């Protein structure tokens, strides 16, 4: 079936099978491989994308469900001039990235969190990122990165 | 190098490969895409032990999209994995199934979905045999032999002094048995490889892996082609922690065989379940510990028996057993030690390297015993540790002596100091129990007893004044590329933004051995240091000609060659590079760093083993809810002597990450079996710590100068696992008054014990 949606600001119209996962559409058809797959079961968060601003596990989402939606993947964050998004910058500067496999999902969950709650407490950050597993960092630097990003973004449009 | 003023080393640097990672541009193995890409999916045994009678692939070949099914006979070379002798593991099981999850054929199709559909209709006739599932079953006198040589993979001894005498003359003897469970690596990226016949007569394998040269050798052996025909390129790797050695070798070989058969690229991407059941785990263990001491707290003897359940194949069991052997007596000066360390085969998923490599298991036992001894002698647990701690000049367990860079006492003193200013919440509130636990540990740096330790690194300076570093050690998230860049930048006086570090491509970097044993920064860093030093000589020689002065009047700094005595007299480094190039001074160098070879007695394991040790002391304070068993970590101090710290922020990241893995081992994570089949092979039922389980680790480094590492560095990747796990166990014991002898000490275990005690 033909579906149309907006991905990272671009209009997409693509033919998909009814049972195709959004994750496979994004990775294999749109070739946006920044969205990762760590479990295929909704348990790790590495496949997180934003659908109308809400973080979703794209491994659990069927591609046809994207019809008419606005989605953001990690590739959509960087500015046209190659400038990093403040959240990306914060993750980098705070040392919140080790192997980096969880990072795209973490950054997108952070984006959704900060949009809803521009100055989250530590507990709120933990709540907001509880669906994203990271095996490398121990999370402490991720929390710091979110706080730092919140500070940088204060008041500005995310 | 000592006391030198440093510009790059010791400063927090941004990860050199970080930008690719935060933007999603970094290419991991699973991100490769080719129009004719095929996918391989393995058929795996559902039972733990059996004889393979027949594999019927006729139905599978009829499934749309299936192009091939690879059977053991199709592997033209040796059909072996196993990076160490005894090389007892087949890529595909041929006659016998030795664990549930072992693969016996690979279905190759045009999509993952097709390959899986094909795998479902492969009919395997496997005659079940009673599996051997526990240490005791494996050791039983008339036990069936899992391998021809028996059920003992390896057994090693360490003998120092006269233990019998020490025990006979002691004032106190304590004795107990401890156990630990299997732990899964659970790197967020599963094992993935993509084998590509690029049409150059060779085979290239892009791999998520830890030791590309191991893989290269095995692929060649399994294809039965010269090693020079194989190229392995490490892709960005989503964590490894020791786990992507054997398994990457296994699926790398399989994908290569399939790709050669089809003349097309083949990807194998393990599903999470496969990654848990079909790849290495941390060894489960049973450790019997005896300790003899004098009334004043002097430990006079230790007698330890370690049994490691290594699962179906040897994998890295021989090395893990050795490391456990060497570290089991702890970082103390003890004159009489007797240890036996034995790894066994059972019909379970095979075990191998996992961050800490046998040390977390023995440290848990050792440090639990230290606390029990302190209790018995009514001594302060930190005082007891301090009294017995290794100092410079002491003989350690293998009678190796380090004259410097033995900072254990400093780590203990730091904890004593910080603990003084920390008070646990008052115990009045009935619902909660509070306790603080401590643990000291050490961990050898370098391959040590595991083999000769050589790293080759290249440094090439370009005419524009930038530099390229090549080394055969892999970046797995630990930040080694950044550390190598910092070292090269330091030597060459080039800013970090002008330094690139290659990804490991076996064609273009020198075989540097495995990326293990916290050796990258020391042995690897030394090779980079040397190679950069050679290129620096060319630059100094050229600059001296340009300045018309002696070389020793010149320093390289901030991308300039400048006169020592006049910082305004300087020439841009790129001008020096251009001149050096046209003059014919070499701008590239390949250098080697070789750690002093381990020299020790094979029967007693006495001698010089490692080039240095990391020493650490941890403190953990917990609050336990008596009603639910829930544990909250209120404070965690991780104090380490890791030598000079190259990149403080990355250092903290290593400590925080390793500590949480140790906490997971001690409190949350447990592989569960039913009849030898893992019943929780997913991230919902196997509890990897989430952000809500985070512990508030504070990293403190005691810097000593290690003469065997560049700028005095040692290493930090693994040690905190042991410290965090053992201090957790002691904190829970302190809070509850109950000694828990088996990891993990889960909330439920705690609750049951509290209820029993009531
Ligand atoms: S891949 Fe979707 S949650 Fe893990
Ligand atoms: S950085 Fe490796 S999983 Fe998070």
């Amino acid at each position: 079936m033909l579906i149309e949606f907006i991905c990272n600001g671009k209009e997409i119209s693509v033919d998909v099978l009814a049972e195709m996962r959004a994750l496979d559409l994004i990775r294999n058809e749109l070739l946006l491989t920044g969205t990762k797959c760590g479990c295929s079961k909704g348990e790790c968060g590495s496949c997180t994308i934003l659908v109308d601003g809400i973080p979703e596990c794209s491994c659990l989402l069927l591609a046809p469900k994207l019809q008419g939606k606005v989605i953001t993947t990690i590739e959509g964050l960087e500015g046209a001039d190659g400038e990093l998004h403040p959240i990306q910058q914060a993750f980098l500067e705070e040392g919140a990235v080790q192997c980096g496999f969880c990072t795209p999902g973490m950054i997108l969950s952070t984006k959704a969190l900060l949009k809803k709650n521009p100055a989250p407490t530590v507990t709120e950050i933990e709540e907001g990122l509880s669906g994203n597993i990271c095996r490398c960092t121990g999370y402490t630097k991720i929390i710091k990165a979110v706080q730092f990003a919140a500070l940088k973004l204060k008041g500005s449009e995310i | 190098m000592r006391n030198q003023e440093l510009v790059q080393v010791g400063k927090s640097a941004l990860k050199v490969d970080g930008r690719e990672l935060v933007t999603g541009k970094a290419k991991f193995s699973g991100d490769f895409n080719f129009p004719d890409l095929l996918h391989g999916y393995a058929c795996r045994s559902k039972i733990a032990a059996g004889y393979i009678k027949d594999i019927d692939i006729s139905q599978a070949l009829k499934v749309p999209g299936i192009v091939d099914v690879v059977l053991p006979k199709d592997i033209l070379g040796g059909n072996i994995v196993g990076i160490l002798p005894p090389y007892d593991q087949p890529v595909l099981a041929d006659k016998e199934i030795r664990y549930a999850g072992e693969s016996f054929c690979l279905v190759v199709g045009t999509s993952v979905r097709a390959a899986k559909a094909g795998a479902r209709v492969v009919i395997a006739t496997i005659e079940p045999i009673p599996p051997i599932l526990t240490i005791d079953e494996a050791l039983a006198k008339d036990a069936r032999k899992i391998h021809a040589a028996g059920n003992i993979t390896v057994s090693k001894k360490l003998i120092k002094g006269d233990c019998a005498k020490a025990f006979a003359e002691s004032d106190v003897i304590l004795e107990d048995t401890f156990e630990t469970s299997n732990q899964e690596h659970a790197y967020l990226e599963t094992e993935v490889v993509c084998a590509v016949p690029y049409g150059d007569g060779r085979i290239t394998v892009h791999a998520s892996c830890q030791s590309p040269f191991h893989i290269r050798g095995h692929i060649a052996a399994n294809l039965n082609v010269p090693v020079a025909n194989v190229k392995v390129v490490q892709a960005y790797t989503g964590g490894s922690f020791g786990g992507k050695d054997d398994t990457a070798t296994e699926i790398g070989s399989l994908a290569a065989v399939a790709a050669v058969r089809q003349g097309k690229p083949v990807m194998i991407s393990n599903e999470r379940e496969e990654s848990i059941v079909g790849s290495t785990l941390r060894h489960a263990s049973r450790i019997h510990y005896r300790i003899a001491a004098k009334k004043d707290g002097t430990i006079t003897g230790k007698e330890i028996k370690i049994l490691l359940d290594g699962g179906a194949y040897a994998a890295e069991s021989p090395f893990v057993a050795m490391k456990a052997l060497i570290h089991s007596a702890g970082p103390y000066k003890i004159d009489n030690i007797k240890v036996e360390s034995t790894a066994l085969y059972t019909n379970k998923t095979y075990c191998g390297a996992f961050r800490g490599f046998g040390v977390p298991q023995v440290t848990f036992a050792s440090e639990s015993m230290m606390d029990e001894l302190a209790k018995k002698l009514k001594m302060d647990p930190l005082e007891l540790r301090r009294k017995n701690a290794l100092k410079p000049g002491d003989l350690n367990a293998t009678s190796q002596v380090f004259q410097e860079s033995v900072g254990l006492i400093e780590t203990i003193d730091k904890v004593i100091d910080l603990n003084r200013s920390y008070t646990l919440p008052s115990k009045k509130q009935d619902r909660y129990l509070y306790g603080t636990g401590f643990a000291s540990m050490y961990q050898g740096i370098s391959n040590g007893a595991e083999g000769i330790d050589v790293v080759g690194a290249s440094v090439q300076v370009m005419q524009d004044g930038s530099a390229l570093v090549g080394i055969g050690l892999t970046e797995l998230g630990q930040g080694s590329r950044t550390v190598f860049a910092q070292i090269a930048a330091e030597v060459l006086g080039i800013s970090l933004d002008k330094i690139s570090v290659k990804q490991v491509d076996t064609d273009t970097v020198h075989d540097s051995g495995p990326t293990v044993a916290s050796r990258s920064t020391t042995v690897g860093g030394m090779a980079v240091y040397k190679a950069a030093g050679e290129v620096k000589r060319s630059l100094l020689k050229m600059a001296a000609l340009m300045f018309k002065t002696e070389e020793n009047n010149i320093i390289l700094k901030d991308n300039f060659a400048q006169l020592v005595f006049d910082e305004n007299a300087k020439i841009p480094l790129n001008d020096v590079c251009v001149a050096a190039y046209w003059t014919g001074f070499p701008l590239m160098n390949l250098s080697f760093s070789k750690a002093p070879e381990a020299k020790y007695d094979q029967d007693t394991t006495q001698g010089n083993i490692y080039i240095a040790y990391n020493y650490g002391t941890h403190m953990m304070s917990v609050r336990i809810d008596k009603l639910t068993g829930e544990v909250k970590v209120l404070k965690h101090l991780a104090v380490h002597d890791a030598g000079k710290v190259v990149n403080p922020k990355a250092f903290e990241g290593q400590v925080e990450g390793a500590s949480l893995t140790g906490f997971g081992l001690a409190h949350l994570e447990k592989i569960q079996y039913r009849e030898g089949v893992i019943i929780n092979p997913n991230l919902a039922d196997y509890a990897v710590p989430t952000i809500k389980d985070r512990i508030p680790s504070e990293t403190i480094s005691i810097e000593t100068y290690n003469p065997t590492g560049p700028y005095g560095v040692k290493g930090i990747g693994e040690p905190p696992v042991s410290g965090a796990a053992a201090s957790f166990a002691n904190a829970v014991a302190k809070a509850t008054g109950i000694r828990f002898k088996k990891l993990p000490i889960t909330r439920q275990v705690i609750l049951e014990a509290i209820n029993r005690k009531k």
Side-chain angles (χ1 to χ4, degrees):
Chain A
M1 66 179 76
L2 189 75
I3 59 166
E4 289 181 350
F5 59 98
I6 293 176
C7 176
N8 300 334
K10 271 210 266 326
E11 284 174 30
I12 307 276
S13 127
V14 58
D15 217 358
V16 299
L17 294 171
E19 71 274 15
M20 183 187 248
R21 303 184 300 174
L23 176 62
D24 298 324
L25 169 65
I26 291 164
R27 284 180 56 82
N28 304 340
E29 309 294 324
L30 307 184
L31 303 178
L32 298 172
T33 53
T35 306
K36 300 300 180 200
C37 175
C39 72
S40 285
K41 286 186 173 171
E43 293 162 359
C44 76
S46 62
C47 63
T48 304
I49 59 168
L50 300 183
V51 179
D52 290 343
I54 312 271
E56 299 262 11
C57 291
S58 61
C59 70
L60 296 183
L61 196 66
L62 289 176
K65 292 259 184 227
L66 297 181
Q67 168 61 35
K69 305 281 187 196
V70 175
I71 74 164
T72 307
T73 70
I74 190 67
E75 288 87 352
L77 261 65
E78 208 179 340
D81 48 358
E83 205 189 320
L84 292 181
H85 187 282
I87 300 174
Q88 292 173 312
Q89 192 66 33
F91 268 67
L92 201 54
E93 282 175 28
E94 287 298 329
V97 182
Q98 287 190 25
C99 80
F101 201 78
C102 70
T103 307
M106 285 284 182
I107 288 178
L108 289 168
S109 291
T110 302
K111 187 168 187 283
L113 170 71
L114 294 182
K115 184 155 184 125
K116 223 171 55 191
N117 180 355
T121 62
V122 170
T123 316
E124 287 165 345
I125 295 172
E126 287 175 351
E127 200 54 51
L129 300 184
S130 61
N132 294 78
I133 292 180
C134 173
R135 186 57 150 173
C136 300
T137 63
Y139 301 104
T140 298
K141 299 220 173 320
I142 290 178
I143 303 240
K144 284 196 180 140
V146 177
Q147 288 169 326
F148 187 37
L151 215 70
K152 288 209 277 193
L153 281 165
K154 208 166 233 165
S156 69
E157 183 65 14
I158 301 183
Chain B
M1 284 193 259
R2 207 183 284 252
N3 301 326
Q4 181 185 331
E5 195 197 314
L6 300 174
V7 181
Q8 302 286 351
V9 170
K11 308 269 169 2
S12 287
L14 295 191
K15 211 171 150 54
V16 293
D17 43 2
R19 197 185 164 93
E20 283 67 36
L21 294 168
V22 296
T23 53
K25 287 181 185 141
K27 232 172 161 51
F28 292 76
S29 299
D31 299 339
F32 284 85
N33 209 333
F34 300 90
D36 52 352
L37 181 64
L38 299 172
H39 298 265
Y41 190 82
C43 293
R44 293 174 184 272
S45 169
K46 293 188 176 60
I47 60 168
Y51 298 119
I52 300 174
K53 293 294 171 195
D54 183 51
I55 308 286
D56 178 0
I57 60 170
S58 55
Q59 291 307 311
L61 288 171
K62 290 184 196 141
V63 171
I66 297 303
V67 297
D68 195 11
V69 178
V70 179
L71 292 164
K73 67 169 173 52
D74 301 320
I75 299 172
L76 301 177
N79 189 19
I80 51 158
V81 284
I83 59 173
L84 300 173
Y87 305 114
D88 56 7
Q89 184 169 2
V91 177
L92 291 174
D94 194 359
K95 297 184 179 67
E96 186 174 343
I97 291 293
R98 294 191 176 87
Y99 72 92
E102 183 163 19
S103 46
F104 50 80
C105 73
L106 182 84
V107 181
V108 184
T110 49
S111 67
V112 178
R113 180 181 274 252
K116 281 177 83 168
R120 267 196 295 275
V121 295
V122 168
I123 301 163
T125 313
I126 300 171
E127 179 192 317
I129 40 179
I132 292 174
L133 299 175
T134 64
I135 288 175
D136 292 322
E137 285 172 22
L139 285 176
K141 251 236 234 64
D142 47 0
R144 177 176 58 82
K145 290 180 177 173
I146 295 174
H147 291 274
N151 294 339
I152 290 183
T153 318
V154 67
S155 190
K156 298 268 184 193
K157 283 196 172 70
L158 182 151
I159 300 165
K160 179 188 181 192
D162 183 348
C163 245
K165 188 156 171 279
F167 275 81
E169 293 171 0
S170 64
D171 298 330
V172 247
I173 294 177
L174 288 183
E175 175 163 3
D176 224 324
T177 303
F178 298 87
E179 289 179 75
T180 65
S181 307
N182 290 124
Q183 186 181 24
E184 158 63 14
H185 299 84
Y187 19 69
L188 209 56
E189 179 205 31
T190 61
E191 306 81 6
V192 186
V193 294
C194 185
V196 191
Y198 276 110
D200 54 356
R202 305 172 74 214
I203 182 87
T204 299
V205 177
H206 301 277
S208 170
C209 66
Q210 184 156 341
S211 301
F213 293 93
H214 277 162
I215 301 182
R216 183 179 68 172
H218 277 83
I219 291 173
N222 285 311
L223 287 174
N224 203 14
V225 300
V227 173
N229 275 18
V230 180
K231 162 169 155 172
V232 175
V233 189
Q234 187 214 7
Y236 274 87
T237 298
S240 179
F241 316 116
K244 286 178 180 167
D245 247 355
D246 310 73
T247 317
T249 305
E250 180 186 327
I251 62 174
S253 295
L254 261 184
V257 168
V260 168
R261 281 166 69 85
Q262 295 303 312
K264 285 183 182 163
V266 173
M267 181 180 286
I268 299 178
S269 173
N270 273 352
E271 294 184 332
R272 178 57 61 185
E273 176 167 349
E274 297 182 281
S275 178
I276 296 176
V277 303
S279 90
T280 54
L281 302 168
R282 188 190 296 284
H283 289 73
S285 70
R286 186 160 85 208
I287 301 161
H288 184 74
Y289 217 99
R290 291 184 80 215
I291 184 164
K294 293 284 182 199
K295 270 199 216 93
D296 70 350
T298 308
I299 299 171
T300 51
K302 283 191 173 187
E303 230 180 70
I304 307 158
K305 272 212 169 76
I306 304 162
L307 292 169
L308 297 167
D309 180 349
Y313 294 103
E316 292 185 60
S317 281
F319 287 172
V320 175
M322 193 71 186
K323 203 141 202 168
L325 178 85
I326 294 166
H327 291 79
S328 57
Y332 305 109
K333 180 179 173 296
I334 303 162
D335 295 335
N336 309 289
I337 305 174
K338 197 171 146 195
V339 192
E340 193 181 284
S341 179
T342 306
L344 301 154
Y345 292 118
T346 57
N347 286 122
K348 290 185 292 191
T349 293
Y350 63 109
C351 297
F354 189 171
R355 207 171 194 175
F357 212 73
V359 181
Q361 293 96 319
V362 295
T363 304
F364 160 60
S366 158
E367 291 302 292
S368 296
M369 288 300 279
M370 286 301 275
D371 268 23
E372 289 304 308
L373 181 63
K375 202 160 127 193
K376 179 105 187 168
L377 296 171
K378 300 197 170 49
M379 271 182 86
D380 177 82
L382 285 169
E383 261 323 303
L384 177 68
R385 288 177 172 86
R386 195 176 195 290
K387 186 174 179 72
N388 292 285
L390 282 169
K391 296 181 291 300
D394 283 346
L395 269 67
N396 67 13
T398 68
S399 297
Q400 185 170 7
V401 176
F402 290 94
Q403 294 299 351
E404 57 182 327
S405 201
V406 182
L408 179 61
I409 292 212
E410 288 89 325
T411 68
I412 297 174
D413 286 345
K414 191 80 195 172
V415 169
I416 292 176
D417 190 35
L418 292 169
N419 184 34
R420 217 176 272 136
S421 54
Y422 175 71
T423 24
L424 274 175
S426 95
K427 298 187 178 174
K428 292 221 181 64
Q429 263 186 346
D430 225 8
R431 178 163 178 180
Y432 297 113
L433 299 168
Y434 295 92
T436 295
F438 307 95
S440 290
M441 56 75 56
Y442 68 164
Q443 179 134 15
I445 303 293
S446 75
N447 284 346
E450 294 149 30
I452 294 172
D453 201 330
V454 182
V455 174
S458 66
V459 170
Q460 181 182 10
V461 172
M462 317 296 172
Q463 291 186 54
D464 68 350
S466 62
L468 177 64
V469 178
I471 187 165
L473 299 175
T474 46
E475 168 70 53
L476 305 161
Q478 80 282 42
S480 60
R481 283 172 91 185
T482 310
V483 163
F484 297 138
Q486 283 179 281
I487 291 172
E490 185 73 55
V491 175
L492 294 165
I494 296 177
S495 56
L496 211 52
D497 58 325
K498 292 183 194 293
I499 309 252
S500 288
V501 182
K502 291 184 203 175
Q503 279 194 309
V504 179
D505 168 342
T506 55
D507 274 11
T508 70
V509 298
H510 199 279
D511 186 346
S512 301
T515 304
V516 297
S518 301
R519 69 192 272 269
S520 290
T521 307
T522 39
V523 190
M526 193 58 112
V528 173
Y529 179 84
K530 282 186 174 172
E534 289 301 316
V535 177
K536 180 182 180 181
R537 281 176 38 179
S538 289
L539 299 180
L540 287 178
K541 208 154 97 187
M542 190 66 236
L545 288 174
M546 294 164 90
F547 274 119
K548 298 193 174 54
T549 178
E550 306 289 314
E551 284 170 35
N552 54 14
N553 289 332
I554 294 166
I555 53 169
L556 305 180
K557 205 179 157 189
D558 303 335
N559 304 315
F560 284 95
Q562 72 176 56
L563 290 179
V564 175
F565 40 80
D566 179 4
E567 60 178 43
N568 293 319
K570 50 188 187 181
I571 308 173
L573 207 55
N574 52 327
D575 291 347
V576 180
C577 293
V578 170
Y581 175 80
W582 289 109
T583 314
F585 292 161
L587 290 179
M588 181 166 176
N589 179 271
L590 174 65
S591 278
F592 292 86
S593 141
K594 179 167 189 254
E597 270 177 57
K599 282 205 179 71
Y600 62 97
D601 183 90
Q602 292 289 339
D603 299 323
T604 60
T605 316
Q606 293 296 292
N608 292 346
I609 311 252
Y610 298 109
I611 60 168
Y613 280 82
N614 174 306
Y615 302 85
T617 301
H618 285 222
M619 163 180 146
M620 201 177 281
S621 299
V622 298
R623 186 191 78 187
I624 297 174
D625 187 332
K626 280 195 275 187
L627 300 180
T628 64
E630 190 192 9
V631 184
K632 187 171 167 59
V633 177
L634 303 172
K635 193 170 181 74
H636 173 226
L637 296 178
V639 188
H640 283 271
D641 160 22
K644 174 80 189 164
V645 173
V646 181
N647 186 348
K649 200 157 246 173
F651 181 84
E652 282 172 19
Q654 285 302 295
V655 175
E656 290 161 7
S659 293
L660 194 61
T661 296
F663 176 76
L665 170 71
H667 184 44
L668 299 169
E669 299 178 38
K670 185 175 183 180
I671 290 288
Q672 291 171 313
Y673 293 92
R674 189 178 300 140
E675 287 166 37
V677 179
I678 295 177
I679 54 169
N680 57 343
N682 56 67
L683 300 176
D685 300 319
Y686 179 83
V688 174
T690 71
I691 198 166
K692 290 184 171 176
D693 301 309
R694 184 177 65 99
I695 58 173
S697 302
E698 290 169 55
T699 304
I700 295 152
S701 105
I702 301 290
E703 289 200 351
T704 61
Y705 184 90
N706 167 37
T708 57
Y711 304 106
V713 305
K714 291 201 267 195
I716 189 63
E718 303 176 88
V721 177
S722 309
S727 60
F728 174 81
N730 282 340
V732 174
K734 186 86 188 163
T736 58
I738 304 165
R739 173 58 59 191
F740 293 87
K741 296 170 191 169
K742 187 169 182 177
L743 297 186
I745 308 165
T746 60
R747 175 174 170 167
Q748 200 183 346
V749 167
I750 295 171
L751 187 62
E752 283 167 10
I754 292 175
N755 287 339
R756 257 200 311 276
K757 199 182 163 197
K758 268 194 212 153

